[in-house]
Amino acid sequence: MTAEATGVRLECDGPVATVTLCRPDVLNAQTPAMWRAMSDFSRDLPGDVRVVVVRGEGRAFSAGLDLSVAGASGPGSFAELATLPEQECADRIAEFQAGFTWLHRPDLISVAAVQGHAIGAGFQLALACDLRVLAEDARLSMAEVTLGLVPDLAGTKRLVDMVGYARALEICATGRRMDAAEADRIGLATLVVPPTELDGAVRDLTAGLLANNRDAVVEIKALIAGATGRSPAEQQRAEREAQTRRLRDLAGRGE
């Protein structure tokens, strides 16, 4: 399906892929069709892609769920999901989550370029990325609770991992909005820049990520991503094993 039909497009330029939400007239509000398209992108990526940049057209990253779709009675609507057997409903949501979780892939580093609103599903999409560059006008909110819902697009664990249990609970249970300065202060932002510098900052970050050996970066991501689940001794063992693989590879003795 075309980007016009799905509301999201994928563009690849060598080692960099860009996912762009392209519904600026509704502040890039998201639909199930967009989530399915984003899930398909993971299978469409050329093998040489190393960095995925996620961005929104226009003045917002994403204002969240498109309530005109979710509140209707067609496919993907709340009304339809509510009529499904429990397991089938859960399976349908798992399909939606796949549009976000592929951005965790160990062979990629994903970067969210966030300007304006990143609300609900928009916030969760930014959280799905490894790194977040925020414009100073960014406004973030986990707003699902205001609709009587829970965040279900793989965002809750990501948020807890970044800001801790108490802060994550407060953010999700109140649905309040935070500005870029607070997001930076509590560890959600990799970088905060003036809106006019957002594109340049993302390009510079991407260049830095691409400047070093791909296999070393993949190993580093795996070490960092798994660190919170390992004891110090387990992490040290993981470091030793990763370094052994790198030394053997650099010496031409890798498998």
Side-chain angles (χ1 to χ4, degrees):
M1 296 179 69
T2 64
E4 289 73 20
T6 61
V8 60
R9 67 173 179 268
L10 172 68
E11 299 166 299
C12 297
D13 182 10
V16 181
T18 302
V19 174
T20 304
L21 309 185
C22 49
R23 303 182 73 212
D25 53 319
V26 291
L27 300 181
N28 299 313
Q30 298 178 40
T31 67
M34 295 171 74
W35 301 334
R36 292 189 180 96
M38 289 191 290
S39 179
D40 290 341
F41 290 165
S42 179
R43 295 184 288 273
D44 297 337
L45 284 183
D48 61 344
V49 169
R50 296 178 55 186
V51 176
V52 177
V53 176
V54 181
R55 61 191 327 126
E57 271 189 7
R59 59 192 178 90
F61 181 70
S62 173
L65 182 66
D66 187 337
L67 295 178
S68 69
V69 174
S73 58
S77 67
F78 294 161
E80 185 214 16
L81 291 174
T83 65
L84 298 176
E86 288 186 11
Q87 188 57 55
E88 188 174 344
C89 181
D91 290 345
R92 186 76 62 85
I93 295 170
E95 294 175 4
F96 300 159
Q97 290 172 334
F100 293 66
T101 56
W102 72 273
L103 293 164
H104 310 171
R105 270 175 43 176
D107 59 322
L108 303 170
I109 294 184
S110 49
V111 180
V114 181
Q115 80 281 5
H117 290 105
I119 307 298
F123 187 18
Q124 292 189 78
L125 183 57
L127 290 172
C129 294
D130 297 306
L131 307 173
R132 280 152 299 283
V133 181
L134 272 56
E136 291 172 342
D137 67 351
R139 297 294 182 270
L140 290 71
S141 171
M142 198 72 90
E144 285 81 359
V145 70
T146 65
L147 301 173
L149 301 172
V150 303
D152 65 343
L153 297 170
T156 54
K157 178 169 172 51
R158 304 283 284 187
L159 186 61
V160 172
D161 287 346
M162 291 177 207
V163 304
Y165 163 80
R167 180 75 71 182
L169 177 60
E170 180 265 330
I171 289 169
C172 292
T174 64
R176 70 175 179 84
R177 296 192 180 188
M178 73 181 82
D179 60 19
E182 180 182 357
D184 189 28
R185 187 170 65 252
I186 66 176
L188 287 173
T190 306
L191 189 65
V192 175
V193 297
T196 56
E197 297 178 16
L198 180 62
D199 290 346
V202 171
R203 283 194 299 269
D204 289 346
L205 177 58
T206 299
L209 295 170
L210 295 173
N212 295 299
N213 180 282
R214 178 174 191 167
D215 292 334
V217 172
V218 169
E219 290 278 16
I220 288 168
K221 179 174 176 178
L223 282 171
I224 300 301
T228 56
R230 301 188 188 107
S231 68
E234 290 168 338
Q235 183 70 2
Q236 291 157 24
R237 177 178 178 179
E239 291 174 356
R240 295 193 298 270
E241 291 172 347
Q243 192 72 303
T244 298
R245 288 190 293 272
R246 295 305 312 131
L247 290 168
R248 290 179 63 83
D249 185 61
L250 292 172
R253 301 184 65 183
E255 295 182 359

